[in-house]
Amino acid sequence: MFLDLMQNSSRSVYSYLVGGISPRPIAWISTLSSEGVTNIAPYSFFTVASCQPAVLSVTQVNPSDKANKDTLTNLLATKECVVNIVSHALVEQMNQSCANYPNNVSEFDEASIERVPSQLVNPPSVAASKVRYECKLREVITISDEPSGGKMMLLDVVGIFIDDATLVNGYIDPTRLDAVGKMGGDYFSTTNDKFVLKRPQL
């Protein structure tokens, strides 16, 4: 099978993108609305955009019933968020936070997610998240305003919380972090089933 997207668009392109580009890390993003309601939602179109300066990239796939999801609406209003990394122990609460709650309802409350104050931004952090990136909004790049189009959120990292128990010789140990990844459909993956490849030396 070959899909020529230059000739025709495929209604299945989303499934082919998320099914083939996997596993993907999950940004569990906590924000505050302009009314002070806490929000948290997972995004798997997520990566590092830059290390100097430290910038994260998270993309919203536009919903069909409104211009933006609550996360981006809140970010545009308050300019702050926390990217909480999802360890395996948090997957049930992370999944519950995916539900389509009204914007005046806090997913922290509905999914019984324990929160702690952040250090440099106003949105709360997930207490049990072993790595948390406190961020301020740099810019939003609109790829498309259409439903299923993309809006890329570039986030300046202003502070990083790391649970000391995840560190080995000053570095985050992936086994101790025990992060999960998103795959196609309802599938997720763990990172503790892994192997090591040394970078070749020429």
Side-chain angles (χ1 to χ4, degrees):
M1 181 180 74
F2 180 78
L3 296 177
D4 184 348
L5 299 185
M6 301 298 292
Q7 298 298 322
N8 57 73
S9 61
S10 170
R11 300 179 72 177
S12 302
V13 69
Y14 175 85
S15 66
Y16 296 138
L17 290 172
V18 300
I21 303 171
S22 72
R24 300 179 307 281
I26 301 169
W28 203 14
I29 304 179
S30 50
T31 57
L32 278 175
S33 74
S34 55
E35 291 78 28
V37 179
T38 55
N39 174 273
I40 186 164
Y43 289 79
S44 67
F45 290 9
F46 162 51
T47 192
V48 176
S50 170
C51 293
Q52 289 293 342
V55 180
L56 305 181
S57 169
V58 182
T59 297
Q60 167 191 274
V61 175
N62 300 333
S64 59
D65 59 340
K66 54 187 175 181
N68 294 320
K69 298 178 181 178
D70 292 342
T71 297
L72 181 49
T73 297
N74 294 348
L75 260 176
L76 290 170
T78 68
K79 314 299 184 188
E80 296 183 334
C81 71
V82 181
V83 174
N84 304 276
I85 299 303
V86 180
S87 295
H88 194 235
L90 292 169
V91 292
E92 293 295 339
Q93 289 170 300
M94 179 274 296
N95 191 50
Q96 184 63 38
S97 73
C98 290
N100 192 24
Y101 296 107
N103 59 13
N104 62 344
V105 172
S106 172
E107 291 85 356
F108 275 95
D109 296 334
E110 295 301 310
S112 300
I113 302 165
E114 183 182 356
R115 71 193 85 179
V116 293
S118 302
Q119 298 295 312
L120 301 175
V121 297
N122 289 305
S125 295
V126 175
S129 178
K130 298 176 182 178
V131 176
R132 311 191 289 258
Y133 300 94
E134 298 187 13
C135 301
K136 293 184 180 289
L137 180 64
R138 169 179 282 252
E139 65 176 308
V140 177
I141 300 173
T142 299
I143 310 300
S144 170
D145 283 316
E146 296 298 316
S148 296
K151 293 178 183 172
M152 180 184 295
M153 300 167 270
L154 295 179
L155 308 172
D156 287 319
V157 180
V158 296
I160 305 173
F161 167 85
I162 304 169
D163 186 337
D164 290 340
T166 69
L167 296 172
V168 175
N169 297 323
Y171 293 95
I172 297 170
D173 183 277
T175 302
R176 297 185 180 191
L177 179 59
D178 195 21
V180 297
K182 184 70 176 72
M183 304 174 78
D186 292 332
Y187 288 95
F188 290 80
S189 65
T190 67
T191 53
N192 274 343
D193 183 13
K194 62 188 183 301
F195 57 91
V196 175
L197 287 176
K198 297 292 186 181
R199 184 172 296 214
Q201 301 296 319
L202 297 181

